[in-house]
Amino acid sequence: SQTIHQWPATLVQPVGSPLSLECTVEGTSNPNLYWYRQAAGRGLQLLFYSVGIGQISSEVPQNLSASRPQDRQFILSSKKLLLSDSGFYLCAWSAGRRQTEAFFGQGTRLTVV
Amino acid sequence: GDSVTQMEGPVTLSEEAFLTINCTYTATGYPSLFWYVQYPGEGLQLLLKATKADDKGSNKGFEATYRKETTSFHLEKGSVQVSDSAVYFCALTPNAGNMLTFGGGTRLMVKP
């Protein structure tokens, strides 16, 4: 069966520090991968998605970047965090065929102080 | 572009009350429709889905029917429990792709 791992679960970082969140998927190949952000009390905002290694699409211009160095690994990064980067970050994957649901990791609670 | 609109919360109910959370969508063709649930501090879990018109998705006592004529996918449960307290998200994937579009989420609070 397929599983998705996302870490760390919580993170407190000072303003201006770098960020690296990692997500890996097991039990499937060539998944579509996604990073979402959920601000407190708000809905889900799609940040990045990837349909293959090295293929990243950005939905919202911002202080973050994403990379996919391996087929089942998706990394969210920042060189210098802002206070506004605080939120709940969710990684997800879906199969590469049409109209399939996405499966989510447990999320990372990021607090920038 | 595609969009999903769901009722704003919070929705507060007493245990054993009937639940309806409205969801309507805008999309071309025949999207697939989903309800996800998010318990406090956790990621999203797929609750149910429907992939074509008139399909009924069901799980854990929750149901939703894909209504093409009203472009709706309302979530219902006949008798809610305290453990159903969570945030519920309606979502769709388009007919020609697999990018999820989410509604804004509805927080449900069930009181004993």
Side-chain angles (χ1 to χ4, degrees):
Chain A
S1 63
Q2 301 88 4
T3 57
I4 179 169
H5 303 280
Q6 183 182 344
W7 67 93
T10 60
L11 191 60
V12 180
Q13 292 283 97
V15 169
S17 64
L19 173 73
S20 180
L21 302 181
E22 189 163 343
C23 173
T24 59
V25 180
E26 297 177 356
T28 187
S29 59
N30 197 32
N32 294 332
L33 297 171
Y34 310 87
W35 278 111
Y36 288 87
R37 178 169 60 196
Q38 186 179 26
R42 305 283 295 277
L44 290 162
Q45 178 186 39
L46 178 63
L47 301 176
F48 301 95
Y49 68 93
S50 171
V51 298
I53 296 174
Q55 301 178 59
I56 309 293
S57 296
S58 173
E59 291 294 301
V60 181
Q62 59 208 327
N63 185 41
L64 301 170
S65 62
S67 62
R68 185 170 178 173
Q70 300 180 41
D71 181 45
R72 291 168 288 178
Q73 183 185 29
F74 205 26
I75 298 172
L76 182 69
S77 304
S78 173
K79 292 182 179 179
K80 289 185 177 182
L81 283 169
L82 306 172
L83 286 174
S84 58
D85 291 323
S86 294
F88 192 52
Y89 289 82
L90 290 159
C91 182
W93 75 272
S94 67
R97 49 182 193 277
R98 290 167 43 189
Q99 300 185 312
T100 58
E101 63 268 34
F103 299 92
F104 285 79
Q106 288 298 295
T108 296
R109 173 74 59 193
L110 171 66
T111 304
V112 182
V113 296
Chain B
D2 298 342
S3 66
V4 177
T5 302
Q6 58 183 107
M7 60 191 294
E8 290 191 19
V11 174
T12 304
L13 296 173
S14 298
E15 206 165 22
E16 299 183 1
F18 184 85
L19 168 72
T20 299
I21 300 178
N22 290 337
C23 171
T24 57
Y25 68 90
T26 301
T28 55
Y30 290 83
S32 289
L33 303 173
F34 308 90
W35 277 101
Y36 283 84
V37 58
Q38 184 181 33
Y39 298 103
E42 298 185 8
L44 274 69
Q45 302 174 27
L46 179 67
L47 181 59
L48 53 84
K49 67 177 182 180
T51 57
K52 60 183 187 293
D54 300 324
D55 266 2
K56 177 184 285 187
S58 61
N59 185 25
K60 299 181 180 180
F62 291 90
E63 293 183 341
T65 301
Y66 189 144
R67 302 290 188 196
K68 180 66 174 174
E69 63 277 13
T70 55
T71 62
S72 64
F73 194 53
H74 305 321
L75 183 68
E76 297 181 336
K77 186 174 186 182
S79 176
V80 294
Q81 305 300 311
V82 172
S83 57
D84 293 326
S85 298
V87 180
Y88 292 82
F89 290 92
C90 186
L92 67 81
T93 56
N95 186 49
N98 51 22
M99 185 65 59
L100 273 172
T101 297
F102 283 93
T106 302
R107 181 175 300 278
L108 170 66
M109 296 188 293
V110 181
K111 297 184 176 180

